[in-house]
Amino acid sequence: MAKMAAAALTREGGEDAFRRLFRFYRQRDVSDLRGVVDFSVPGGQVVRSQLSISSVSDQDAYRAGLQPVSQWKAYGLKGYPGFIFILNPFLPGCQRHWVKQCLKLYPQKPNVCNLDLHMAPEKTIDLWGQSKEQLRKKGSSKWEPRSLLEKLRWVTLGYHYNWDTKKYSANHHTPFPSDLAFLSEQVAAACGFRGFQAQAGILNYYHFDSSLGIHVDESELDHSRPLLSFSFGQSSIFLLGGLKREEAPTAMFMHSGDIMVMSGFSRLLYHAVPRVLPNPDGTALPSCLDQGLSSDLPVGSVIEHSSDEDWQVCAKYLQSSRINMTIRQVLAEGQKFPDESGTKGKGQAPSEDGHHQENSRTKRHKPNTNTDS
């Protein structure tokens, strides 16, 4: 069904097949989503994926806030070897930890965010502290002024991507968060990639008018390691294409807690997010975020309890937003960056709300908040 719908949309016109489908799902009045793959009701081109259950102990899964790997529901797509979709494997309450980290901790210095482009450093030191009261009291009117957290579009971790040179470098690196590294290592190991090193991360912050342009993640020097993607909050449509933009992509839903792994053949495929959607439960927040953490966390858990006050702020933010964490290994074991003597500075990004230049294979994925994409 999904492939047939895509084919029907890509037979005519001068645009490439990917761009045409992107524009179709980007339209605000699109109500026909029958062509979108829903992994919660697998069928058609969806196949089961085998995981490496013995590679992650139940204890390590619990420490990362995950169910035992034997209980995960993992799928692939015919025609996309190396692509793995894991339906929300998080234990009750554990998604809340990652949401809080993405809003309260990870945007802090020395990490880099889009607001650094046009604000003085002292103004971006504590985005959470400057935003929490405004967010907590926020009403439903779209005319209310936005808090700094609501203006956040991206944060980079570890090796910070240089948006000017489209490269990573040894001289722009800060410590990668240990909790997120541990989570990523468990997911990678379960998918057959033991020894994965979480070296760089890009956190994208979406609202209902946001999109993510068509791109390929190819700036990492080691493409043998997977790209991991974690989603929290409202839902989205994700498009996964081919090695060329002339190949029609497959559309699929991503819901809160879902994880995608792009590896092997699928590691360098074109992909995009044309649309953020309200969650399928029809409630302000997805039901999987309703439950708090149990009181007895395992020894060595990287998950922390969130105060009711903190979660109120996070919940208000997520009522109209989606957070995505993409984690990657930049260098192979023992690999070093090439000579960087010709590289200038640490340029970070084009303007906050600029469009993707979609004719560039290496244009990095920066959420686009314009509505005419």
Side-chain angles (χ1 to χ4, degrees):
M1 169 69 80
K3 280 290 187 183
M4 291 174 60
L9 284 165
T10 55
R11 290 186 188 122
E12 302 176 358
E15 289 183 313
D16 62 70
F18 201 127
R19 176 64 177 165
R20 192 171 303 112
L21 206 61
F22 181 96
R23 287 175 62 84
F24 172 78
Y25 285 116
R26 181 73 180 127
Q27 298 173 76
R28 309 310 301 170
D29 58 350
V30 171
S31 57
D32 184 2
L33 301 178
R34 289 176 296 175
V36 183
V37 173
D38 186 347
F39 286 95
S40 64
V41 284
Q45 67 187 115
V46 176
V47 295
R48 288 300 296 257
S49 283
Q50 297 299 314
L51 298 175
S52 181
I53 295 174
S54 61
S55 294
V56 180
S57 69
D58 289 356
Q59 186 67 13
D60 280 345
Y62 291 142
R63 289 175 59 207
L66 299 166
Q67 301 171 20
V69 177
S70 59
Q71 298 180 19
W72 295 9
K73 296 178 180 178
Y75 301 95
L77 289 171
K78 294 176 183 176
Y80 296 95
F83 176 77
I84 303 172
F85 191 104
I86 304 169
L87 283 174
N88 179 16
F90 289 93
L91 291 168
C94 290
Q95 286 189 58
R96 292 187 175 193
H97 168 84
W98 303 109
V99 172
K100 185 191 71 172
Q101 298 296 79
C102 287
L103 292 175
K104 186 175 183 179
L105 183 64
Y106 297 157
Q108 294 180 14
K109 300 305 169 228
N111 299 330
V112 181
C113 73
N114 62 291
L115 298 179
D116 297 325
L117 302 177
H118 52 82
M119 295 180 66
E122 62 272 15
K123 297 291 188 180
T124 61
I125 289 176
D126 184 15
L127 302 180
W128 175 270
Q130 297 181 70
S131 305
K132 60 182 183 180
E133 287 304 320
Q134 186 177 347
L135 262 174
R136 191 181 289 114
K137 298 174 182 177
K138 189 176 180 65
S140 57
S141 172
K142 64 180 181 180
W143 304 115
E144 292 184 56
R146 292 183 300 163
S147 64
L148 286 179
L149 274 180
E150 292 171 295
K151 296 178 181 179
L152 195 61
R153 292 293 174 262
W154 53 261
V155 169
T156 55
L157 310 171
Y159 286 114
H160 297 280
Y161 184 74
N162 185 313
W163 303 83
D164 294 334
T165 65
K166 303 178 181 66
K167 295 179 180 179
Y168 299 97
S169 66
N171 62 12
H172 198 195
H173 175 269
T174 56
F176 194 92
S178 58
D179 57 348
L180 184 51
F182 185 76
L183 170 69
S184 302
E185 290 160 8
Q186 309 318 306
V187 172
C191 294
F193 295 94
R194 297 183 75 167
F196 175 86
Q197 299 176 50
Q199 297 175 336
I202 297 181
L203 315 180
N204 285 331
Y205 301 80
Y206 298 82
H207 306 296
F208 282 131
D209 62 349
S210 302
S211 64
L212 177 67
I214 306 166
H215 69 282
V216 175
D217 290 282
E218 63 179 1
S219 296
E220 296 73 31
L221 275 65
D222 180 14
H223 295 152
S224 69
R225 305 268 92 182
L227 176 74
L228 311 180
S229 173
F230 303 84
S231 291
F232 306 107
Q234 301 300 328
S235 300
S236 70
I237 294 175
F238 179 82
L239 298 179
L240 180 63
L243 295 171
K244 299 179 180 179
R245 288 180 47 151
E246 288 70 27
E247 298 179 50
T250 295
M252 63 196 79
F253 291 114
M254 283 200 75
H255 302 305
S256 192
D258 290 343
I259 300 173
M260 287 193 318
V261 179
M262 296 174 67
S263 67
F265 171 80
S266 295
R267 175 64 177 79
L268 295 175
L269 297 183
Y270 279 101
H271 53 282
V273 177
R275 184 91 173 269
V276 176
L277 301 165
N279 74 84
D281 297 327
T283 50
L285 290 181
S287 58
C288 60
L289 292 172
D290 286 345
Q291 193 171 338
L293 275 175
S294 63
S295 56
D296 53 339
L297 292 171
V299 174
S301 174
V302 301
I303 304 298
E304 299 173 348
H305 285 278
S306 299
S307 68
D308 290 342
E309 179 185 7
D310 280 357
W311 180 244
Q312 287 174 9
V313 176
C314 293
K316 180 69 76 168
Y317 176 89
L318 286 183
Q319 286 180 9
S320 59
S321 304
R322 168 183 180 254
I323 299 173
N324 178 254
M325 311 188 300
T326 57
I327 315 302
R328 65 284 315 279
Q329 180 170 332
V330 177
L331 300 169
E333 187 73 35
Q335 188 177 19
K336 295 183 179 180
F337 288 100
D339 178 35
E340 298 166 347
S341 58
T343 301
K344 294 182 180 180
K346 300 176 182 176
Q348 282 306 306
S351 64
E352 175 185 343
D353 291 325
H355 282 280
H356 278 291
Q357 297 173 6
E358 292 180 355
N359 60 349
S360 169
R361 271 178 60 88
T362 55
K363 192 70 176 177
R364 180 58 75 180
H365 47 302
K366 177 175 59 64
N368 170 17
T369 57
N370 295 325
T371 56
D372 60 349
S373 171

